[in-house]
Amino acid sequence: MHALETEIRKKLLSMKDAQYAQFQRKLMPTVDPARVIGVRIPDIRRLAKAYYGTEESKSFLAALPHALYDEDNLHGALLDRIPDFDTAIHEVERFLPYIDNWATCDSFMPAVFKKNKEKLLEIIEKLGIKIKTFQASLYIKEGEEISKFLAFIGASMAVLKFEEIRVIRDMRNNVNRLVNCETANLNKT
């Protein structure tokens, strides 16, 4: 671990909230609980504001993957501050394969994307991904379209996890349907 990573980790550890960490762990059962230290997003954003534009932030953004979930959130908060659209796209593409949970994905949205919605939508639509937009958010409903989008952004681990969840859900639904049918048939006799 580099001195910078140690310094940032010490800062994050000084902001940890044990109760919040417990709460977050329950929301993200697929994330190793040891990776979650429980730093609240407003604190992470303040830290990103203090670090952004420094050599430390550039080194931190270059150091992927991060060991902690909270470091991933700090990475996203730093990406939020990038003013150049092309740089933001490049950095988001580099970071996305390392995102392994919905909370980190939901916690950042570079402001430059909101200012350049049309350019962002063009990139997404070129991939043939059907989307509906609501303000600066994307809405993708169909499972197949979600998989395509995750694959496009390079989130291969997320695609595999998403597909695994879809298969398990479909299997459970089929089992429930069969049990309900059998129960109904038994009640008729």
Side-chain angles (χ1 to χ4, degrees):
M1 186 180 334
H2 296 100
L4 168 68
E5 292 174 88
T6 304
E7 176 189 331
I8 288 175
R9 189 162 300 158
K10 282 180 185 176
K11 283 229 188 252
L12 288 169
L13 287 167
S14 74
M15 295 186 280
K16 76 178 180 179
D17 179 335
Q19 286 181 323
Y20 189 62
Q22 270 186 317
F23 170 72
Q24 286 181 310
R25 289 176 185 131
K26 289 178 187 174
L27 294 176
M28 303 176 301
T30 60
V31 176
D32 177 7
R35 291 190 65 227
V36 181
I37 59 176
V39 180
R40 295 179 180 271
I41 293 295
D43 294 333
I44 286 175
R45 288 191 177 129
R46 277 191 287 279
L47 186 61
K49 184 177 181 181
Y51 271 105
Y52 184 74
T54 64
E55 287 304 315
E56 290 86 0
S57 74
K58 291 175 186 168
S59 296
F60 181 77
L61 289 173
L64 284 171
H66 301 297
L68 298 175
Y69 156 78
D70 305 83
E71 290 171 335
D72 287 341
N73 287 346
L74 177 59
H75 192 112
L78 288 167
L79 294 181
D80 282 346
R81 306 187 77 74
I82 296 174
D84 178 67
F85 180 80
D86 294 328
T87 303
I89 286 286
H90 173 74
E91 289 298 324
V92 167
E93 285 177 344
R94 274 182 67 274
F95 181 47
L96 285 172
Y98 301 102
I99 296 176
D100 62 356
N101 64 83
W102 67 268
T104 298
C105 192
D106 269 7
S107 72
F108 77 98
M109 171 63 140
V112 71
F113 287 0
K114 293 174 190 168
K115 295 174 186 170
N116 294 280
K117 281 192 288 188
E118 293 78 24
K119 286 171 88 174
L120 183 62
L121 290 174
E122 283 176 25
I123 292 169
I124 293 168
E125 288 173 353
K126 282 180 184 174
L127 298 165
I129 298 171
K130 298 173 191 166
I131 59 171
K132 294 179 185 178
T133 58
F134 296 92
Q135 295 174 348
S137 300
L138 297 177
Y139 174 75
I140 305 173
K141 184 175 180 180
E142 299 298 321
E144 187 64 32
E145 298 299 318
I146 293 169
S147 288
K148 277 195 225 174
F149 181 73
L150 290 172
F152 158 68
I153 61 177
S156 54
M157 291 186 318
V159 172
L160 294 173
K161 188 65 180 172
F162 179 75
E163 290 298 331
E164 177 185 345
I165 291 168
R166 281 181 65 194
V167 168
I168 291 169
R169 187 191 66 214
D170 288 346
M171 292 295 287
R172 285 184 182 153
N173 287 344
N174 288 337
V175 168
N176 283 339
R177 271 191 222 95
L178 289 172
V179 168
N180 289 341
C181 286
E182 289 299 318
T183 303
N185 286 337
L186 288 173
N187 288 339
K188 287 181 183 178
T189 59

